[in-house]
Amino acid sequence: MPGKKIKILSTRPVGDSLVLQAAALNIILDEISFIETEEIIDNTTANKIKRLSEQPINAVFTSMNAAEALRRFIPKNSPWNIF
């Protein structure tokens, strides 16, 4: 329908710039955080991640928070294929 606004709810902050870009396209972009996450990695888990990072695997992350939490444990020369 012409003139009908599209409404999108983002559960992560997307920033004022994207909200304004969306508005210019007749899209209402609401940002509401529903979930708070907290990184919890003990020494046992950290050591397991480091050992696994030496093996060639395909690692698929569906969470930016998970990927960020593991980043410091995986060396740049790791044989992982990360998606």
Side-chain angles (χ1 to χ4, degrees):
M1 280 184 175
K4 185 170 182 170
K5 291 191 180 265
I6 296 171
K7 296 180 183 181
I8 298 175
L9 173 62
S10 174
T11 58
R12 293 191 58 90
V14 294
D16 292 339
S17 175
L18 187 57
V19 171
L20 291 173
Q21 289 176 27
L25 297 171
N26 216 24
I27 299 170
I28 299 168
L29 183 51
D30 287 325
E31 305 173 41
I32 303 173
S33 293
F34 287 105
I35 300 171
E36 285 190 34
T37 58
E38 182 179 335
E39 178 183 322
I40 302 173
I41 298 180
D42 59 18
N43 286 336
T44 302
T45 304
N47 289 331
K48 186 172 184 177
I49 294 166
K50 288 176 186 175
R51 281 193 310 276
L52 286 171
S53 73
E54 297 170 358
Q55 301 174 23
I57 65 171
N58 293 321
V60 179
F61 293 98
T62 59
S63 163
M64 184 177 75
N65 291 326
E68 288 292 324
L70 293 181
R71 183 169 60 171
R72 71 172 183 245
F73 299 104
I74 302 170
K76 291 186 189 276
N77 63 347
S78 171
W80 282 22
N81 292 313
I82 300 175
F83 302 94

